[in-house]
């Protein structure tokens, strides 16, 4: 089993420097870079949510977009049709997504579906949702659900209407909350059980752990946390299209950060999001500067990055970087 570790005061100081830079970012960068940072933090948040299921409990999901999509649609419908604010919409989205995760988990774990077959099941549910919402007139089907856009003279945090800087701080706060929640879970009783299940489920069951229950907890908690990503997406972009939000490419984007940064680590999803999204945007900007327009270039770039990390750093970038810098996670 991987070692359990803690942060030293020196590490906290070192990590405080980039956090301070993130807090000051809206005053230091232009609107384009601020938008890129929002996308990075969004990727870090979704990666952290996915990491709870896969990194901690060892349950591979390739259809995680279903939870973000459901969360976004629940909050958007409540806002556009009934005037319910996004935060109350988020509270409504949590049980919806948790219930969806419970259904998927029950069907899989009760009948012994695991590994790659569980991953296929998650893809199937995401595709069912995409096709279903694509034909559901209540949410405008394939025409898309649009949120009203107004020019606000001030930031309205309660209704998530305002400047990019406001959205940036909301996403930064969400990423920090997801990190703290993941850390609390990992260092709790349920976290120890998850790690035992991840490393050897048969041995965990023999030791008296109710593997069915704790795998269900992992799926439901991960789904509930992911629901906020959908709420934020809906109110940041002001539109939802089933073909976009439930597409398997969304699920793949969620998992690339943790894979590149380090699955099962707390800082891996964050570092992976910064590396992957930052480099991808740099490549896109460089291509635009040279007048190049290559369809699928970003996806090819993602594939190259994934290949390089898997071959050179199978544990991910963060464990390697932590060892080189002598920071972060030390054996307890």
């Amino acid at each position: 089993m991987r070692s359990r570790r803690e942060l030293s005061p020196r590490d906290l100081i070192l990590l405080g420097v980039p956090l301070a830079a993130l807090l000051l970012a809206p005053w230091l960068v232009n609107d384009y870079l601020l938008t890129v940072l929002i996308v990075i933090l969004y990727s870090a948040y979704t990666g952290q949510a996915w990491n709870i299921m896969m990194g901690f409990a060892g349950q591979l999901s390739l259809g995680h977009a279903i939870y973000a999509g459901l969360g976004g649609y629940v909050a958007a419908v409540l806002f556009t049709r009934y005037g319910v604010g996004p935060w109350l919409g988020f509270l409504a989205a949590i049980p919806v997504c948790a219930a969806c995760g419970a259904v998927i988990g029950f069907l899989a774990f009760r009948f012994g579906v695991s590994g790659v077959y569980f991953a296929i099941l998650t893809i199937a549910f995401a595709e069912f949702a995409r096709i279903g919402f694509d034909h559901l007139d209540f949410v405008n089907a394939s025409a898309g659900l649009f949120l009203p856009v107004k020019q606000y003279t001030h930031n309205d945090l309660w209704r998530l209407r305002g400047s990019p800087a406001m959205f940036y701080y909301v996403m930064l706060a969400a990423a920090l909350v997801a990190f703290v929640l993941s850390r609390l879970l990992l260092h709790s009783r349920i976290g120890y059980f998850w790690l035992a299940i991840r490393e050897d489920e048969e041995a965990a069951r023999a030791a008296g752990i109710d593997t069915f229950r704790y795998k269900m907890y992992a799926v439901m908690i991960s789904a509930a946390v992911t629901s906020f990503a959908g709420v934020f997406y809906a109110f940041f972009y002001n539109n939802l299209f089933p073909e976009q939000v439930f597409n398997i490419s969304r699920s793949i984007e969620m998992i690339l950060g943790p894979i590149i940064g380090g699955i099962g680590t707390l800082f891996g999803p964050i570092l992976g999001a910064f590396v992957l999204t930052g480099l991808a945007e740099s490549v896109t900007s460089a291509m635009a500067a040279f007048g190049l327009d290559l369809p699928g270039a970003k996806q090819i770039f993602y594939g190259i990055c994934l290949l390089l990390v898997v071959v050179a750093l199978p544990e991910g970038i963060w464990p390697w970087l932590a060892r080189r810098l002598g920071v972060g996670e030390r054996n307890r």
Side-chain angles (χ1 to χ4, degrees), residues 134-203:
D134 209 34
H135 294 83
L136 187 60
D137 292 333
F138 183 71
V139 294
N140 293 335
S142 60
L145 182 62
F146 292 86
L147 279 68
V149 180
K150 297 180 181 179
Q151 294 295 329
Y152 283 79
T153 56
H154 64 282
N155 293 324
D156 188 350
L157 182 60
W158 176 247
R159 299 173 69 85
L160 280 185
R161 305 282 90 184
S163 65
M166 185 203 72
F167 282 100
Y168 170 82
Y169 282 118
V170 168
M171 201 66 250
L172 177 60
L176 291 174
V177 169
F179 175 84
V180 173
L181 175 63
S182 296
R183 181 172 173 79
L184 291 175
L185 288 171
L186 188 60
H187 290 269
S188 67
R189 179 185 180 88
I190 192 174
Y192 286 110
F193 287 168
W194 282 344
L195 294 178
I197 293 170
R198 183 192 69 189
E199 297 301 326
D200 192 330
E201 185 172 345
E202 293 298 327

Side-chain angles (χ1 to χ4, degrees), residues 6-329:
E6 292 211 354
L7 299 175
S8 70
R10 171 177 172 270
D11 299 338
L12 293 176
I13 293 175
L14 291 174
L15 292 171
V17 174
L19 178 58
L22 289 173
L23 290 172
L24 296 174
W27 286 277
L28 302 175
V29 300
N30 56 34
D31 289 342
Y32 169 73
L33 290 178
L34 187 62
T35 302
V36 172
L37 285 174
I38 293 174
V39 174
I40 290 174
L41 292 173
Y42 178 87
S43 299
Y45 178 87
T46 55
Q48 203 75 260
W50 178 82
N51 199 40
I52 293 174
M53 184 189 296
M54 174 59 189
F56 299 167
Q59 307 306 307
L60 175 60
S61 170
L62 296 180
H64 235 58
I66 188 175
Y67 308 123
L70 287 176
Y73 268 104
V74 168
V77 167
L78 290 176
F79 182 74
T80 56
R81 294 187 179 272
Y82 307 107
V84 177
W87 297 107
L88 293 178
F90 171 48
L91 294 180
I94 289 176
V96 172
C97 293
C100 178
V103 170
I104 297 174
F106 180 84
L107 291 176
F109 306 142
R110 181 58 69 188
F111 297 101
V113 177
S114 60
V116 67
Y117 299 105
F118 176 73
I120 293 173
L121 182 65
T122 61
I123 295 174
F125 267 86
E127 283 297 295
F128 291 156
R130 181 184 65 81
I131 296 171
F133 276 79
D134 209 34
H135 294 83
L136 187 60
D137 292 333
F138 183 71
V139 294
N140 293 335
S142 60
L145 182 62
F146 292 86
L147 279 68
V149 180
K150 297 180 181 179
Q151 294 295 329
Y152 283 79
T153 56
H154 64 282
N155 293 324
D156 188 350
L157 182 60
W158 176 247
R159 299 173 69 85
L160 280 185
R161 305 282 90 184
S163 65
M166 185 203 72
F167 282 100
Y168 170 82
Y169 282 118
V170 168
M171 201 66 250
L172 177 60
L176 291 174
V177 169
F179 175 84
V180 173
L181 175 63
S182 296
R183 181 172 173 79
L184 291 175
L185 288 171
L186 188 60
H187 290 269
S188 67
R189 179 185 180 88
I190 192 174
Y192 286 110
F193 287 168
W194 282 344
L195 294 178
I197 293 170
R198 183 192 69 189
E199 297 301 326
D200 192 330
E201 185 172 345
E202 293 298 327
R205 188 180 296 111
I209 298 174
D210 188 344
T211 58
F212 174 81
R213 175 189 297 180
Y214 287 99
K215 287 194 295 183
M216 288 290 291
Y217 287 162
V219 175
M220 293 173 67
I221 292 173
S222 180
V225 174
T226 307
S227 66
F228 179 73
V231 177
F232 181 88
Y233 181 96
F235 284 81
F236 182 65
Y237 291 104
N238 297 306
N239 62 75
L240 290 169
F241 291 92
E243 183 61 36
Q244 292 181 351
V245 296
F246 293 111
N247 197 287
I248 189 174
S249 63
R250 293 288 181 188
S251 299
I252 299 302
E253 289 173 1
M254 291 182 184
I255 74 177
L256 285 178
I259 291 176
I260 290 177
I263 295 178
T265 66
L266 292 172
F267 292 98
I270 302 172
L271 180 60
F274 271 89
V275 171
L276 189 63
T277 306
L279 290 176
E281 290 300 324
S282 298
V283 170
T284 301
S285 299
M287 290 174 56
F290 288 100
L292 299 175
D293 184 15
L294 301 176
K298 184 175 290 189
Q299 285 71 23
I300 294 174
F301 176 77
Y302 285 162
I304 293 173
C305 288
L306 186 60
L307 178 63
L308 291 175
V309 170
V310 169
V311 172
L313 302 170
E315 291 183 341
I317 298 176
W318 171 251
W320 173 84
L321 184 62
R323 289 194 296 269
R324 293 296 182 274
L325 298 178
V327 299
E329 308 169 29

